[in-house]
Amino acid sequence: MGTVTKALELLNLFTRQRPLIGLSDLARLADLNKATCYRLVTELCDFGLVEQVGSAREYRLGPAVLRLSTLREAQVPTREAAMPVLQALAQKTGETAHLSMLMGPALHTLGFAYATTHMTRVTMEDAEVLPFHATSSGLVVLAFQPEPFREAVLAQPIPRLTGRTETSPEALRARLAEVRGQGFAESRGAFQAEVHSMAVPLFDALGRCTGAVAVAALASRMTEDQRRLIRFALTGAGSEITTLWGGTLPADIVTLWRLAA
Amino acid sequence: MGTVTKALELLNLFTRQRPLIGLSDLARLADLNKATCYRLVTELCDFGLVEQVGSAREYRLGPAVLRLSTLREAQVPTREAAMPVLQALAQKTGETAHLSMLMGPALHTLGFAYATTHMTRVTMEDAEVLPFHATSSGLVVLAFQPEPFREAVLAQPIPRLTGRTETSPEALRARLAEVRGQGFAESRGAFQAEVHSMAVPLFDALGRCTGAVAVAALASRMTEDQRRLIRFALTGAGSEITTLWGGTLPADIVTLWRLAA
DNA sequence: ACCATCGGTTCAAATAATAAACCGACAAGA
DNA sequence: TCTTGTCGGTTTATTATTTGAACCGATGGT
């Protein structure tokens, strides 16, 4: 593994739950020698990707990420473009909408929107990276990946997260085929108990699946009518965001979604 | 220079004017061997900070910057928090408002907002890093830096950008003292001819100046009344953003601004 | 048919990264 | 007060990684 990758991996250690990390912790988490870690994090600091803060001299993500993301959004409006659609989706369905994007080997949260309808809602703050096997977004993205990718994911350990998590590779393979057949995925309490969710895939200009939009609701609110409504709103949002991102929906997806509506 | 820094420097080569860069260009711009550059940019790609796009296989900033900035904004709302103030400032003054932040040795643009009042406006898209000596933001930030930093900047070459750019270190030193004395800075066509601007400093929790807010207008619209209005709106926005960022205005700034109002 | 340039690869030589031990400072516990 | 442990940070010789020049096939303009 190259030095640069090691340094960048440090950035991945910062999460919503753990936004501040001291040098020793950082070294432990990254499994690096403290001196090595110090050198790397110092270089990240000099660039501004990380900054040192407070009396304990802990580290956190720095202001350079803002600068870079402003630049990126100016050229490829991704988050900014999708957020209004996401908010509309949350409003239409009365539930929590969620946007995720495939980055390298993992599916990352890009944003979410809450409806103002209910007092109870599914919060998404805690899930930075989504497990492929236990979320509707994960399932739908995985379903539309090339086979080697799918198998690589299934070859890894598949943790049981709730009582309803599917953990057998064979069953998951069948599940993915089913998802491909219907053009969307559904998860019933496999990630968090009591949370049902549905997701549709997003595609880039070359027809590759690069992410997903999902709606998550408390199981008790997931009536058959509500499922139909969500499915309808989701396919609309999915095709809208795909278009905004300059992508094109594969023909079979278009027909599947048209049938569903 | 460390390998990590070299890799990160590659990110700085992407600008609004030059969002896509091929491998050979990248190597030339960064003054790196092509093989070295390839290895570095590949590592950046794997992480998602950079992505390869199109038939020409050019590189551009990748989606990981979004992920990181979302994470950073969740913990330290910086851009998100300041943008509404910036928009209000543009609206109040009827001119272009601009927000910048000191990152390492350079002053970078963080955002800007346009007023809808006039048909002509000062556009800020082209200025990613602001010269210290020729912009009101640059002057005001430099004025409030510790002396070694100031002198380091003045020791570097000072390019003449327009006919009205001040380029003598002695004159600039006097200018900075003046800025410190009045709590804001003004630039009259020193960066772009026909553009006048005014800026106030922003401070962090330790009273260090970390950035600036500015208003830029066409010279012809900069009447004495308008200057007063802008100065008033600027000091308001400056103290607002400083507070939002968890900073505190130094006592002397507070009194200077109170006098101005 | 030529020449230049593109993105990407190879491999020996050179350079930069690494690990372990160490430093002073600080805080909790005995 | 005197350990004891941990903190952020530094030093050093050893080691592994990075580097640069040459090279590849593909592409495109002359």
Side-chain angles (χ1 to χ4, degrees):
Chain A
M1 194 205 309
T3 312
V4 177
T5 302
K6 276 180 219 161
L8 296 179
E9 287 294 341
L10 291 179
L11 298 176
N12 277 341
L13 298 175
F14 297 94
T15 62
R16 279 199 168 73
Q17 293 78 41
R18 194 189 333 105
L20 286 164
I21 312 181
L23 176 61
S24 296
D25 280 340
L26 208 54
R28 263 190 297 273
L29 289 165
D31 197 25
L32 289 173
N33 184 284
K34 202 172 38 155
T36 306
C37 186
Y38 176 70
R39 227 179 24 77
L40 297 179
V41 80
T42 301
E43 285 194 81
L44 292 174
C45 259
D46 289 343
F47 190 79
L49 279 182
V50 158
E51 67 180 359
Q52 206 167 10
V53 66
S55 54
R57 304 199 155 188
E58 292 181 301
Y59 299 92
R60 73 173 172 205
L61 290 179
V65 299
L66 298 183
R67 191 167 54 81
L68 295 174
S69 92
T70 305
L71 220 54
R72 155 96 184 177
E73 288 284 282
Q75 221 239 326
V76 195
T78 307
R79 213 183 104 91
E80 296 278 331
M83 286 308 286
V85 180
L86 207 63
Q87 271 144 19
L89 178 62
Q91 204 54 47
K92 269 182 227 168
T93 58
E95 301 290 352
T96 297
H98 181 265
L99 178 67
S100 56
M101 199 171 177
L102 188 63
M103 294 174 47
L107 189 64
H108 291 269
T109 294
L110 238 186
F112 36 77
Y114 299 122
T116 49
T117 318
H118 299 289
M119 286 302 292
T120 55
R121 60 172 67 151
V122 180
T123 59
M124 297 300 312
E125 268 91 9
D126 293 341
E128 222 297 294
V129 356
L130 305 177
F132 283 110
H133 68 291
T135 62
S136 56
S137 298
L139 285 171
V140 84
V141 168
L142 191 55
F144 289 96
Q145 293 311 303
E147 206 227 332
F149 187 101
R150 289 206 304 272
E151 288 306 319
V153 169
L154 292 178
Q156 286 168 354
I158 302 174
R160 174 178 303 280
L161 302 171
T162 74
R164 306 187 61 174
T165 308
E166 185 62 70
T167 59
S168 118
E170 300 78 40
L172 282 169
R173 259 187 283 267
R175 191 71 185 287
L176 293 177
E178 184 194 353
V179 168
R180 269 191 300 278
Q182 59 190 17
F184 68 93
E186 190 165 0
S187 156
R188 305 195 177 202
F191 184 43
Q192 307 170 57
E194 298 305 311
V195 173
H196 284 203
S197 70
M198 300 173 74
V200 295
L202 303 170
F203 297 88
D204 70 8
L206 283 72
R208 294 171 304 195
C209 172
T210 57
V213 212
V215 168
L218 288 177
S220 56
R221 288 205 291 265
M222 259 308 187
T223 63
E224 200 48 46
D225 278 358
Q226 177 70 349
R227 289 179 67 249
R228 245 194 307 279
L229 167 68
I230 289 178
R231 206 170 60 214
F232 178 73
L234 263 182
T235 54
S239 83
E240 223 177 310
I241 294 176
T242 291
T243 306
L244 283 171
W245 287 4
T248 50
L249 294 178
D252 51 332
I253 292 288
V254 174
T255 55
L256 281 172
W257 286 0
R258 199 168 291 152
L259 290 176
Chain B
M1 198 204 306
T3 312
V4 177
T5 302
K6 275 182 220 159
L8 296 179
E9 287 295 341
L10 290 180
L11 298 176
N12 277 341
L13 297 176
F14 297 95
T15 63
R16 278 197 169 76
Q17 292 77 39
R18 196 189 331 108
L20 286 163
I21 312 182
L23 176 61
S24 295
D25 279 340
L26 207 54
R28 263 190 297 274
L29 289 165
D31 196 26
L32 289 174
N33 183 285
K34 202 170 40 152
T36 307
C37 187
Y38 176 71
R39 226 178 25 76
L40 297 180
V41 79
T42 302
E43 285 194 82
L44 292 174
C45 260
D46 289 344
F47 190 80
L49 278 183
V50 158
E51 69 181 357
Q52 208 168 9
V53 67
S55 55
R57 302 200 156 187
E58 294 180 301
Y59 299 93
R60 72 174 173 205
L61 290 178
V65 299
L66 298 182
R67 190 168 54 81
L68 295 174
S69 92
T70 306
L71 220 55
R72 155 94 186 182
E73 288 283 281
Q75 219 237 329
V76 195
T78 305
R79 213 182 104 89
E80 295 278 330
M83 285 309 284
V85 179
L86 207 61
Q87 270 143 19
L89 178 62
Q91 206 53 47
K92 269 183 227 166
T93 58
E95 301 290 351
T96 298
H98 181 265
L99 178 67
S100 56
M101 201 172 172
L102 190 63
M103 293 175 46
L107 188 64
H108 291 269
T109 293
L110 239 187
F112 36 78
Y114 298 123
T116 50
T117 319
H118 299 288
M119 287 301 292
T120 56
R121 59 172 66 151
V122 180
T123 60
M124 297 301 310
E125 267 93 9
D126 293 340
E128 222 296 294
V129 358
L130 305 177
F132 283 111
H133 68 291
T135 62
S136 56
S137 298
L139 284 171
V140 84
V141 168
L142 192 55
F144 288 96
Q145 293 310 304
E147 206 226 331
F149 187 100
R150 288 205 306 270
E151 288 306 319
V153 170
L154 292 179
Q156 286 169 354
I158 303 174
R160 175 178 303 279
L161 302 172
T162 74
R164 304 186 64 172
T165 309
E166 186 61 71
T167 59
S168 116
E170 299 77 42
L172 283 168
R173 259 187 283 266
R175 192 73 187 286
L176 294 176
E178 184 194 353
V179 169
R180 270 192 298 278
Q182 61 191 16
F184 68 93
E186 192 164 2
S187 156
R188 307 196 175 200
F191 184 41
Q192 306 172 57
E194 296 306 310
V195 173
H196 285 201
S197 71
M198 300 173 74
V200 296
L202 302 170
F203 297 88
D204 70 8
L206 285 71
R208 294 171 303 196
C209 172
T210 56
V213 211
V215 168
L218 288 177
S220 57
R221 287 206 292 265
M222 256 312 185
T223 63
E224 201 49 45
D225 276 359
Q226 178 69 349
R227 291 180 65 249
R228 246 195 306 278
L229 168 67
I230 290 179
R231 206 169 60 213
F232 178 73
L234 264 180
T235 53
S239 83
E240 224 177 309
I241 295 176
T242 292
T243 307
L244 283 170
W245 285 4
T248 49
L249 294 178
D252 52 333
I253 292 287
V254 174
T255 55
L256 280 172
W257 285 0
R258 197 168 292 150
L259 290 176

